[in-house]
Amino acid sequence: WPVVELDRVGLARAVDRLSDFVALTDTTGCITHLNPYGQELLDRPLDEVVGISIIDLLHPDDVGRALVGVGRTLDRTRAVPI
């Protein structure tokens, strides 16, 4: 896959075209952008979800599993160059 570098606006435009739920978050897990499909699923406009922790949108039974997944993702993105 080619590596494409996008700024925040370009990334938001790219995820807005997807037909899956896609939320962009900051490093603390707070939503910075939610694509239109995500807004439709949550029945909430973008301005109501920006700043909310993505964890707060999960069912309590799913929080532990989600945190494990986030930890795995962070581990992969913190690769140390050889």
Side-chain angles (χ1 to χ4, degrees):
W1 291 89
V3 174
V4 177
E5 195 168 312
L6 299 172
D7 60 10
R8 268 196 276 198
V9 173
L11 183 58
R13 285 183 185 148
V15 301
D16 281 352
R17 295 177 176 205
L18 299 175
S19 59
D20 293 317
F21 180 104
V22 179
L24 304 178
T25 66
D26 62 17
T27 57
T28 66
C30 290
I31 296 172
T32 59
H33 185 76
L34 181 65
N35 72 336
Y37 188 71
Q39 294 171 52
E40 182 181 331
L41 284 177
L42 295 178
D43 195 28
R44 296 171 80 175
L46 181 61
D47 63 338
E48 285 186 14
V49 294
V50 168
I52 293 175
S53 171
I54 193 77
I55 298 299
D56 292 339
L57 297 176
L58 299 176
H59 186 278
D61 293 344
D62 296 327
V63 170
R65 186 173 43 188
L67 291 174
V68 168
V70 168
R72 287 183 184 150
T73 300
L74 289 174
D75 286 344
R76 283 185 293 211
T77 60
R78 293 184 184 157
V80 178
I82 298 175

